[in-house]
Amino acid sequence: KQGGKGWLDLSQQDTGGHFCNCEGCLALEKKYASPGGPLFDFLVEYGPKIKAALPELTVHFLSYHRDATQPPPKMAQPFCDNIATVFAPIDDDISKPISHPHNAISWQHVKDWTKICRTQVWSYPITYALDFPAWGTLKRNAEDARLYYEAGVEGLTPEHDVGHRFGANFYDLQGWLLAQCQRDPYRDWRGLRGGVCEGVYGPAAKDVIEFEEWLEGQYEATKTYVTFIMRPDTFLGPAEIVRWQRHYDKAVAKAGNDRELALRINQTRVCLD
């Protein structure tokens, strides 16, 4: 339909593990030193053939799951330049940057991928544990954008659709900040956050920032390995909930009779409710 132009995806299903346990496929895993060996062998052989037939087509595939295609293959030559991978570190600790010791395996993998293949990243900036977890990792997302850029990644796609229906978890702020970091990965994330909060929350901007900054500190300090389906807000006990609810009561009061402003402020406290 597109005349041989654009992108064609050839990824595995949304699961991990081996493609196949026959002798031939297991031999390919060994040859490429990766569970993705059978797929990589196909791409090595057919990449040049596809380019000859459809020179304006890019074939891309997920490097996904540490026990599947995330580990890059050991290869003497890079993939043909019409082949691209989309690196999706779904097994990482999403409360920490890609360079954190918890994510050292993935950080090495993505750097290795950029040496042998055009590489993009499918990132996970927020947890899927609940629609409304207490989540504040703007710093981590901004740092990841810079690190991926410096590693040679071509593009970044954040999967960011949790809580968006109600604007919870600083959703709008996170989405906007992620976009700005893709335009310039060296922007000051706190300066960007401050500018948005002043425009959106007005006299309550400092109150909203104070809560988000507290969450940043909690995630930076936690030793828990936070997966993308894990409820992360164990540090938000009854005493802290009461403290921050009172904090927000005072913040909302600053909106006066401006109901729209009060709603915007209240959206950032949904996780406390």
Side-chain angles (χ1 to χ4, degrees):
K1 287 184 177 180
Q2 298 185 53
K5 300 178 182 180
W7 290 65
L8 174 66
D9 180 67
L10 292 176
S11 294
Q12 75 265 36
Q13 292 293 332
D14 194 4
T15 55
H18 301 274
F19 282 99
C20 176
N21 289 309
C22 76
E23 290 184 7
C25 285
L26 293 177
L28 289 172
E29 287 189 20
K30 186 175 181 180
K31 175 182 177 180
Y32 289 95
S34 172
L39 174 63
F40 304 149
D41 193 66
F42 169 83
L43 294 169
V44 166
E45 179 177 348
Y46 274 88
K49 296 179 181 180
I50 293 170
K51 184 176 181 179
L54 300 166
E56 296 183 80
L57 182 71
T58 297
V59 176
H60 73 91
F61 64 96
L62 287 172
S63 40
Y64 184 51
H65 284 296
R66 292 180 182 178
D67 63 350
T69 54
Q70 179 178 315
K74 303 295 183 183
M75 294 168 49
Q77 299 292 330
F79 283 100
C80 186
D81 62 8
N82 66 328
I83 303 294
T85 192
V86 181
F87 185 82
I90 198 170
D91 299 320
D92 281 13
D93 177 354
I94 65 169
S95 73
K96 301 292 190 295
I98 187 72
S99 60
H100 188 273
H102 284 186
N103 301 324
I105 294 173
S106 292
W107 182 221
Q108 187 59 54
H109 283 167
V110 74
K111 289 186 289 186
D112 290 343
W113 269 115
T114 60
K115 296 174 184 176
I116 60 172
C117 190
R118 293 170 53 195
T119 304
Q120 298 193 9
V121 169
W122 181 331
S123 69
Y124 301 86
I126 196 166
T127 174
Y128 270 76
L130 294 167
D131 261 358
F132 312 115
W135 192 251
T137 58
L138 300 180
K139 179 181 179 182
R140 170 247 172 176
N141 293 328
E143 188 169 338
D144 273 358
R146 176 183 58 80
L147 289 166
Y148 285 133
Y149 174 76
E150 292 176 348
V153 167
E154 290 185 355
L156 178 64
T157 302
E159 182 172 328
H160 195 248
D161 58 352
V162 183
H164 62 91
R165 291 168 295 166
F166 306 99
N169 306 314
F170 307 99
Y171 178 86
D172 295 332
L173 175 58
Q174 288 197 49
W176 185 84
L177 185 68
L178 286 162
Q180 299 308 309
C181 288
Q182 290 185 67
R183 290 173 175 167
D184 180 357
Y186 294 101
R187 294 286 295 276
D188 170 28
W189 73 271
R190 281 190 169 89
L192 292 169
R193 178 187 65 182
V196 171
C197 287
E198 287 175 14
V200 176
Y201 308 114
K206 291 183 179 179
D207 302 286
V208 173
I209 290 172
E210 188 176 346
F211 180 53
E212 202 284 326
E213 187 74 25
W214 181 77
L215 289 174
E216 292 280 349
Q218 298 303 307
Y219 283 110
E220 198 163 12
T222 185
K223 294 182 172 61
T224 303
Y225 193 105
V226 182
T227 69
F228 87 109
I229 55 172
M230 179 179 179
R231 182 184 177 111
D233 50 2
T234 54
F235 51 78
L236 199 63
E240 293 293 349
I241 292 173
V242 170
R243 176 166 79 93
W244 286 110
Q245 286 285 23
R246 290 174 176 169
H247 173 88
Y248 263 100
D249 288 340
K250 295 176 182 178
V252 174
K254 294 179 181 179
N257 296 323
D258 189 337
R259 296 178 64 183
E260 183 178 339
L261 175 57
L263 174 62
R264 292 200 298 267
I265 298 167
N266 275 322
Q267 283 179 323
T268 66
R269 75 192 290 185
V270 170
C271 56
L272 293 170
D273 296 338

